[in-house]
């Protein structure tokens, strides 16, 4: 209903909005340009903000009404522009959210595939690792038996000394390197298995003597270090709080 009609009926009208058609030639220059841009599908006009009040006689009977209007075209167009941009932004947010949902689903699928792959590889590595560990122990037992055999009195002294040098030197050191490498590989496989089950690394923090850890790593890489003619210097190191497997992998890579 028109604000004036409502006021005549006794209603109080506040901030009513009305779009009024006017001839294009009557529009202010600023309005014409904005309306042509913002309201390309509507006939030219202006927005009015209207307030209305009833007019009473001395007996309190409504005898008419009065309205005051003001041009709010610029304000209205600005509000419409903001609303349009908000709608465009909401639409872009919805589209982006849908894209992220698809990407997240694909990422979860790939994570599951990676976890299954890590679990399978780790599980398959455990069997030959157990064999290596068993063979190294058998080799250690054989070395002990051979050392006992060399201790018998009927073996010539020169042969005994030569055999003991081989046992106490290269063979013992080689067995120690094999056992150390097997232990390191077992720790890596256990870490991979934890990763495949949990989907992330779970560090087991405890005091780790770095000096002892790095000495074992250097010893296990003895042949490689010697082949490359490299000299490794390890200065005194403290005991720190951390995950021994992760620290072992870190320093081994270095």
């Amino acid at each position: 209903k028109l604000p004036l009609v409502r006021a005549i009926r006794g209603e109080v009208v506040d901030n009513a909005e009305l779009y009024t058609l006017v001839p294009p030639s009557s529009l202010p220059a600023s309005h014409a340009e904005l309306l042509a841009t913002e309201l390309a599908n509507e006939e030219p006009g202006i927005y009015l903000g209207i307030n209305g009040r009833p007019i009473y006689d001395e007996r309190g009977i409504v005898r008419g009404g009065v309205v005051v209007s003001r041009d709010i075209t610029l304000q209205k167009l600005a509000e419409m522009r903001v609303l349009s941009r908000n709608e465009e932004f909401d639409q872009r947010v919805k589209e982006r959210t849908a894209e992220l949902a698809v990407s997240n689903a694909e990422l979860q699928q790939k994570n599951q595939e990676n976890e299954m792959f890590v679990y399978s590889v780790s599980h398959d590595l455990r069997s030959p690792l157990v064999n290596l560990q068993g063979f190294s122990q058998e080799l250690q037992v054989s070395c002990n038996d051979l050392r006992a055999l060399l201790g018998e009195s009927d073996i010539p002294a020169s042969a005994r000394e030569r055999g003991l040098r081989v046992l106490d030197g290269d063979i013992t050191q080689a067995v120690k390197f094999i056992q150390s490498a097997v232990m390191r590989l077992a720790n890596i496989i256990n870490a991979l298995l934890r990763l495949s089950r949990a989907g992330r690394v779970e560090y087991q923090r405890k005091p780790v003597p770095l000096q002892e850890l790095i000495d074992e790593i250097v010893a296990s890489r003895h042949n490689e270090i010697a082949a490359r003619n490299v000299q490794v210097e390890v200065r005194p190191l403290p005991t720190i709080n951390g995950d021994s497997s992760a620290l072992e992998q870190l320093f081994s890579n270095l």
Side-chain angles (χ1 to χ4, degrees), residues 3-4 7 13-16 48-53 65-71:
L4 180 58
V13 180
D14 287 319
N15 301 319
L48 297 176
I50 303 175
N51 295 325
R53 295 293 186 271
V66 61
V67 294
V68 177
S69 62
R70 58 189 179 90
D71 186 351

Side-chain angles (χ1 to χ4, degrees), residues 232-247:
V232 179
E233 179 182 356
V234 182
R235 299 183 180 180
L237 294 170
T239 296
I240 66 171
N241 187 41
D243 183 272
S244 59
S245 297
L247 290 170

